[in-house]
Amino acid sequence: KDTFYTRYGKRFLDIIIAFIPFVILLPINLILGICTFFDVGRPIFFKQTRVGKDGKTFTMIKFRNMNEKKDKDGKLLPPSQRVTKFGKIVRKLSLDELLNLWSVLKGDMSIIGPRPQPVFIHERLCERHKMRTSVRPGLECPRVIHVPGEEIFKFQRTFENDVWYAENVSLLLDIKMVFLLVK
């Protein structure tokens, strides 16, 4: 959808909405960084290439919450066994996501939009589901549509919701989604 809102308004609101929490949360991010250092060591950030608007890639940064423990063969243990106690708390409260406000301010992400996928997942999507990149990825994209049938996998429902959002994005829809997110 190409409207004044999608071209200018959404970005303007993203900056306004993200700036204040980003500044307020700087001390919390500093504390999280220090705690992460003492919990898992260096580096304190987990960086991953994600696919953004129009299929362009960007680097998403989060606080690390897993250690590097390996099994007897030298292979990393499964993620569920490497998340630290502190990391579980950080994940439960979504504190590792606070740094994504920086991605919103930089223009890589939006407040509302499809969650950005790692490159290896994006490459496997069908052309219809790749349409989700016609909008900036977001911190969250609450489910608005309900695809019937249990035979459809969860990720397919998510991608259908994302495509529906990209096709219908508007100020009113974003307001509705913010309320769904808070709910």
Side-chain angles (χ1 to χ4, degrees):
K1 227 175 170 183
D2 189 29
T3 64
F4 181 81
Y5 176 70
T6 58
R7 276 184 270 138
Y8 308 107
K10 188 168 174 61
R11 178 75 184 121
F12 177 76
L13 288 175
D14 283 340
I15 292 169
I16 298 299
I17 293 169
F19 181 75
I20 294 168
F22 179 77
V23 172
I24 291 170
L25 295 171
L26 275 174
I28 293 172
N29 279 326
L30 180 62
I31 292 167
L32 280 172
I34 292 167
C35 292
T36 299
F37 174 77
F38 287 111
D39 186 42
V40 294
R42 290 162 80 192
I44 62 170
F45 299 118
F46 167 76
K47 298 178 183 180
Q48 188 177 46
T49 303
R50 300 285 180 110
V51 178
K53 185 172 176 4
D54 300 324
K56 295 177 183 158
T57 59
F58 69 98
T59 302
M60 180 182 257
I61 301 172
K62 297 181 182 185
F63 286 108
R64 278 185 54 215
N65 49 42
M66 289 193 278
N67 57 40
E68 299 293 319
K69 290 185 179 174
K70 299 178 181 181
D71 63 15
K72 61 183 178 192
D73 298 325
K75 295 180 184 176
L76 283 175
L77 293 172
S80 61
Q81 294 178 23
R82 293 187 295 130
V83 177
T84 65
K85 288 179 184 177
F86 176 70
K88 287 178 184 177
I89 295 167
V90 168
R91 283 183 172 194
K92 183 176 181 177
L93 299 175
S94 297
L95 296 174
D96 57 334
E97 301 282 346
L98 293 179
L99 293 175
N100 287 334
L101 289 171
W102 175 246
S103 294
V104 172
L105 291 173
K106 284 188 347 184
D108 292 334
M109 292 178 67
S110 181
I111 299 293
I112 298 291
R115 288 289 295 163
Q117 296 296 319
V119 175
F120 74 93
I121 291 176
H122 177 77
E123 291 171 344
R124 296 175 180 167
L125 296 177
C126 67
E127 289 306 310
R128 173 171 170 66
H129 290 166
K130 286 182 179 179
M131 287 174 45
R132 62 196 301 284
T133 64
S134 64
V135 294
R136 269 190 191 91
L139 300 177
E140 191 60 55
C141 192
R143 186 170 303 158
V144 184
I145 62 166
H146 298 281
V147 180
E150 291 302 314
E151 71 282 353
I152 298 176
F153 296 107
K154 180 183 176 188
F155 68 88
Q156 284 182 295
R157 285 192 295 258
T158 300
F159 293 149
E160 285 299 319
N161 186 72
D162 294 348
V163 170
W164 184 89
Y165 174 79
E167 292 171 342
N168 295 283
V169 63
S170 68
L171 175 60
L172 289 177
L173 180 59
D174 279 359
I175 291 169
K176 178 181 179 179
M177 294 188 107
V178 166
F179 281 111
L180 286 172
L181 184 61
V182 171
K183 181 181 172 185

